Amino acid sequence: DTVMGLRACGGETEAALAAAEDEIYRLDEALSRTREDSAVSRLNSAAGGTPADVGEELRDLIARALDFSAATDGAFDITLAPVSSAWGFTEDTYRVPEDAELALLLPCVGAEHVHLEEGTAVSLDQGTRIDLGAIAKGYASDRMAAIYQEHGITHGIVDLGGNTWVCGGNLEGEPWQIGIQDPARSAGALAGILEASDAFAVTSGGYQRYFEENGQTSHHIIDPRTGYPAENGLISVTIISADGTLADALSTSLFIMGPEEASSFWKKHRDTFDAIMMKDDGTVMVTAGLADHCSVTTGGNVEVIQE
Ligand code: AMP
Ligand code: MG
């Protein structure tokens, strides 16, 4: 369902774009949970049985996902798949599940139910399912960067829908300008502009995917502690990093943590990323490293998070 846009300049542009497109389809085939023949689906079907050989790439990505779960104290959790399905986010059959239904699913949720086995095998406990939706596009953007580099691309933009990678600077030799969506307004209306070169910028927000039932709005980013959509004071989180997979994992995680926990997480890990976080009261929080590279146009208070 995602519109993607790839632009390249300098180097072997045609070959780079063709290879990039092929790679996106290859990754979709491998990592999508809704494709029955994907490696992820085969692993999910084998849950509770013998370990499945998922190949080196998927095993490494699952291993990284488990590391993010540990680093974020469980906020990031690929085993929420059955819970996302209960809310209808996987099959577009939106509904608010009963508390009792979620209570039955939560015992199978948690990184401890995923086991890295020998070689390139992985096993899941009975009832556990994984979904790499919060990390796959970030990983794909890392692959795009590698392909651009192999083809000598000097300037470019890869937009995978909420996951952007900017290659080099723009053709005037300035940093690229990346627009940050205003969660409160229609698609394309900006809350701010970020300047960056050779960086990944990934946004997670409740406004990206949601439904309404009986006047209640429910979005797709689930708090693993409750099984309910995370409502912890943030409406959008953008992560800027030199690592696309990390940026994707952390945009989802910090959204769940809420402003205070997310700020202290950044203080601990500030060497690896920067962040722009929008609070539900209109305040925009920006980490110190970004303060001079981003402008906020919503008129809300801007708070710089200092080291
Ligand atoms: P993102 O847009 O990168 O924030 O990823 C959101 C997607 O990740 C959702 O549509 C779900 O498929 C999945 N997801 C939801 N909650 C979590 C979570 N707490 N940890 C990991 N993945 C999640
Ligand atoms: Mg993410």
Side-chain angles (χ1 to χ4, degrees):
D1 294 338
T2 306
V3 177
M4 299 186 173
L6 291 88
R7 292 152 192 252
C9 182
E12 304 159 342
T13 49
E14 300 285 324
L17 292 173
E21 185 176 357
D22 287 351
E23 181 68 352
I24 289 171
Y25 283 107
R26 184 186 72 79
L27 289 170
D28 184 49
E29 269 170 36
L31 304 179
S32 167
R33 170 156 91 95
T34 50
R35 297 178 73 118
E36 266 175 43
D37 53 342
S38 73
V40 166
S41 292
R42 274 186 275 117
L43 173 61
N44 282 337
S45 322
T50 51
D53 187 348
V54 297
E56 194 176 345
E57 180 176 51
L58 179 52
R59 186 193 141 101
D60 289 352
L61 192 55
I62 292 172
R64 277 208 87 185
L66 297 178
D67 289 343
F68 288 123
S69 290
T72 62
D73 223 354
F76 186 83
D77 195 334
I78 56 171
T79 68
L80 279 166
V83 175
S84 293
S85 289
W87 286 90
F89 284 113
T90 316
E91 290 85 13
D92 290 348
T93 48
Y94 305 133
R95 58 188 268 276
V96 177
E98 300 283 329
D99 283 344
E101 186 182 348
L102 292 175
L104 282 177
L105 297 174
L106 285 173
C108 298
V109 170
E112 68 276 14
H113 299 293
V114 181
H115 312 282
L116 300 175
E117 306 282 355
E118 279 198 18
T120 55
V122 175
S123 67
L124 305 178
D125 289 344
Q126 185 74 46
T128 297
R129 303 273 184 279
I130 64 160
D131 182 336
L132 298 173
I135 199 176
K137 280 201 271 173
Y139 175 68
S141 67
D142 277 328
R143 291 290 309 128
M144 299 298 103
I147 289 170
Y148 271 36
Q149 195 176 14
E150 281 162 27
H151 290 86
I153 303 301
T154 48
H155 308 274
I157 302 178
V158 172
D159 171 8
L160 304 184
N163 281 243
T164 302
W165 176 60
V166 286
C167 170
N170 70 19
L171 298 180
E172 280 84 53
E174 306 283 335
W176 290 107
Q177 298 197 328
I178 304 172
I180 314 279
Q181 171 69 37
D182 185 344
R185 295 193 294 148
S186 56
L190 300 186
I193 291 175
L194 165 72
E195 295 196 327
S197 319
D198 286 316
F200 298 86
V202 180
T203 300
S204 285
Y207 66 92
Q208 290 170 330
R209 217 154 165 231
Y210 63 91
F211 67 94
E212 277 173 41
E213 192 177 297
N214 305 329
Q216 180 198 340
T217 304
S218 305
H219 64 71
H220 67 137
I221 303 177
I222 312 278
D223 188 332
R225 290 166 294 203
T226 61
Y228 280 80
E231 298 289 354
N232 297 320
L234 291 173
I235 51 173
S236 127
V237 173
T238 299
I239 304 287
I240 295 87
S241 173
D243 180 332
T245 307
L246 176 139
D248 197 0
L250 294 188
S251 67
T252 311
S253 309
L254 270 62
F255 180 91
I256 294 162
M257 289 177 191
E260 283 83 31
E261 212 186 315
S263 300
S264 33
F265 185 88
W266 174 75
K267 288 175 192 176
K268 259 189 257 160
H269 301 275
R270 61 177 179 271
D271 296 344
T272 52
F273 75 96
D274 272 298
I276 302 171
M277 303 189 275
M278 297 189 205
K279 295 210 292 196
D280 53 11
D281 67 1
T283 309
V284 180
M285 299 166 83
V286 178
T287 58
L290 271 190
D292 296 336
H293 306 284
C294 105
S295 60
V296 175
T297 51
T298 51
N301 278 340
V302 178
E303 210 178 284
V304 177
I305 310 172
Q306 301 292 348
E307 304 180 7

